[in-house]
């Protein structure tokens, strides 16, 4: 058995696949520890998963002249030093990085230590850390085809066990029907209800919320049940819209700020409207869900690129954030919820989605030794 140090932090996009891979490696009998910061999401989630967190200082790489740029050499040396000490403390045989500011010093420390580096890139457009790491290794995993990194192998996204296990159960039609019926009944809805899930993630998405509030009367009037996850602190307008619905239709619109059990949300869904972070795309396709993606309009455009392979495969459709309106949401949602279209998109998602990403990446890591 071997010892692995997994490195990733900051956002769920880095932390969740890191934890999924770590849990798979631990299941195989390996020793696993994590490298992260004291302030990112990993500071909470890594200990919850029963893993030791070795801390490394956060060192953003400035893209323009600033005070951070002047402090970079000292901060970089401190981060590489912390990563080196973590490798020594865990007697790590290899480092697996998932991008972000935690991975860069981890890759450098692993190279200095002469141990293998394994890179996992979630997004269609790789970040700076993984572009650097991929220059130092031939063990590069990507989530979907087309990500421009050398030596890349498509492994899919490592999914956390609850999501992975549900995705596998949904592959069996009889089991899927029973699970979906059970999830809808738990919400007080009919087992055969048509359910549209709208989510902008834990922080919410203003455009998705506004479009949903504007379209909700028409959606519930045609029999659609909507589960709207508004984001923390952003439910007021949705709750007001729910109260304004006729009493007979009000029960078709459920509003929550956030769900700690996304497996239950996916189980209840007929189709989904969401942003197109790499994790969202991987989970929706693994669950065989027809999806309308509304990519985040900011940043480097990676979300639109993340969604494109699933759209090209016929598993999803895409609307630009600027083009989303209540009328457009109503039009697209009713189209993907139409039984024939939903079935075709679900079959395409089944062909495109990957449920064993953690297993594939763990096997790559073992082979790197």
């Amino acid at each position: 058995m071997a010892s692995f140090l997994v490195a990733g932090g900051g956002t769920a996009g880095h932390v969740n696949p890191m934890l999924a891979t770590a849990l798979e490696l631990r299941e195989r009998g390996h020793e696993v520890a994590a490298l992260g910061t004291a302030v990112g999401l990993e500071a909470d989630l890594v200990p919850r998963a029963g893993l030791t967190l070795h801390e490394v200082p956060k060192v953003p790489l400035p893209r323009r002249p600033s005070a951070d740029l002047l402090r970079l050499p000292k901060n970089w040396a401190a981060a590489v030093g912390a990563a080196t000490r973590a490798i020594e403390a865990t007697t790590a045989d290899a480092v697996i990085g998932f991008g972000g500011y935690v991975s860069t010093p981890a890759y450098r420390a692993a190279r200095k230590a002469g141990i293998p580096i394994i890179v996992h890139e979630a997004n269609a457009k790789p970040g700076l850390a993984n572009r650097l790491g991929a220059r130092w290794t031939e063990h590069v995993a990507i989530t979907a085809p087309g990500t421009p990194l050398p030596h890349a192998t498509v492994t899919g996204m490592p999914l956390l066990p609850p999501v992975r296990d549900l995705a596998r159960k949904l592959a069996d039609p009889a089991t899927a029907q029973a699970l979906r019926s059970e999830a809808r009944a738990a919400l007080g809805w009919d087992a055969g209800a048509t359910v549209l899930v709208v989510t902008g993630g834990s922080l919410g998405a203003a455009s998705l919320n506004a479009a949903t509030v504007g379209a909700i009367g028409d959606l519930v009037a045609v029999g659609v049940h909507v589960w709207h996850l508004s984001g923390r602190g952003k439910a007021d307008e949705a709750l007001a819209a729910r109260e304004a619905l006729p009493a007979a239709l009000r029960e078709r619109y459920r509003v929550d700020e956030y769900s700690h059990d996304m497996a239950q949300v996916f189980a209840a869904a007929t189709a989904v409207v969401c942003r197109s972070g790499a994790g969202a795309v991987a989970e929706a396709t693994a669950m065989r869900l027809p999806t309308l993606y509304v990519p985040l309009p900011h940043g480097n455009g990676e979300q639109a690129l993340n969604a494109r392979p699933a759209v090209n495969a016929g598993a999803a459709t895409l609307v630009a954030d600027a083009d989303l309106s209540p009328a457009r949401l109503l039009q697209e949602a009713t189209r993907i919820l139409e039984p024939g279209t939903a079935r075709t998109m679900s079959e395409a998602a089944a062909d495109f989605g990957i449920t064993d990403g953690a297993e594939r990446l763990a096997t790559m890591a073992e082979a790197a030794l």
Side-chain angles (χ1 to χ4, degrees):
M1 293 298 101
S3 173
F4 291 94
L5 183 66
V6 295
T11 66
H14 296 307
V15 177
N16 285 346
M18 178 184 76
L19 289 178
T21 305
L23 294 173
E24 174 63 25
L25 286 166
R26 192 169 65 179
E27 184 71 19
R28 297 184 183 196
H30 300 295
E31 296 290 331
V32 188
L35 189 71
T37 71
V39 295
L41 195 60
E42 66 275 15
D44 175 45
L45 296 185
V46 167
R48 282 176 182 262
L51 299 172
T52 299
L53 178 68
H54 294 265
E55 292 181 7
V56 63
K58 181 178 177 179
V59 184
L61 299 180
R63 300 180 185 274
R64 57 182 60 88
S66 66
D68 284 338
L69 186 61
L70 297 176
R71 290 189 289 266
L72 180 60
K74 181 179 179 180
N75 292 342
W76 170 249
V80 173
T84 298
R85 289 190 293 275
I87 289 172
E88 293 171 348
T90 60
T91 61
D93 297 300
V95 163
I96 310 173
F98 294 82
Y101 44 74
V102 172
S103 293
T104 317
Y107 295 147
R108 177 59 181 156
R111 191 168 189 241
K112 287 175 61 180
I115 62 175
I117 295 168
I118 301 94
V119 171
H120 181 272
E121 176 56 58
N123 292 299
K125 189 172 185 177
L128 180 61
N130 280 350
R131 294 204 305 272
L132 176 65
R135 295 172 56 187
W136 294 339
T137 183
E138 295 184 355
H139 310 291
V140 179
I142 56 176
T143 296
T147 301
L149 286 176
H151 316 297
T153 298
V154 176
T155 62
M157 176 74 79
L159 301 175
L160 289 169
V163 175
R164 177 202 63 197
D165 294 345
L166 176 61
R168 290 175 177 170
K169 291 175 182 176
L170 293 176
D172 176 69
T175 304
Q177 183 177 359
L179 287 171
R180 295 203 185 284
S181 297
E182 181 182 336
R184 291 162 187 166
L187 300 171
W189 291 339
D190 183 78
T194 298
V195 179
L196 181 70
V197 168
V198 181
T199 173
S202 60
L203 298 179
S207 58
L208 270 66
N209 288 345
T212 304
V213 166
I216 193 61
D218 291 319
L219 284 168
V220 298
V222 295
V224 177
H225 293 64
V226 179
W227 192 353
H228 184 182
L229 304 177
S230 66
R232 291 193 175 97
K234 299 176 181 176
D236 289 350
E237 291 184 5
L239 290 171
R242 184 180 187 278
E243 287 304 307
L245 291 172
L249 300 178
R250 204 170 294 155
E251 61 87 21
R252 295 180 185 170
Y253 185 30
R254 179 185 175 101
V255 179
D256 291 303
E257 292 189 353
Y258 185 72
S259 173
H260 289 284
D261 186 0
M262 287 305 294
Q264 182 200 18
V265 175
F266 288 132
T270 306
V272 177
V273 179
C274 62
R275 293 299 197 197
S276 51
V281 174
E283 291 177 353
T285 52
M287 298 290 174
R288 306 176 175 223
L289 288 170
T291 305
L292 168 61
Y293 293 116
V294 185
L296 188 72
H298 312 299
N300 59 9
E302 70 181 21
Q303 286 211 352
L305 294 173
N306 289 339
R308 187 54 59 188
V311 173
N312 291 343
T317 188
L318 185 150
V319 172
D321 190 85
D323 295 335
L324 187 68
S325 64
R328 186 67 184 277
L329 176 62
L330 177 65
Q331 173 191 353
E332 297 292 345
T334 52
R335 185 180 70 82
I336 66 175
L337 288 168
E338 191 277 324
T341 303
R343 183 167 53 253
T344 300
M345 293 178 74
S346 179
E347 290 170 353
D351 291 336
F352 179 82
I354 295 174
T355 62
D356 62 345
E359 290 93 331
R360 295 188 191 191
L361 185 56
T363 297
M364 176 185 283
E366 290 173 331
L369 300 180

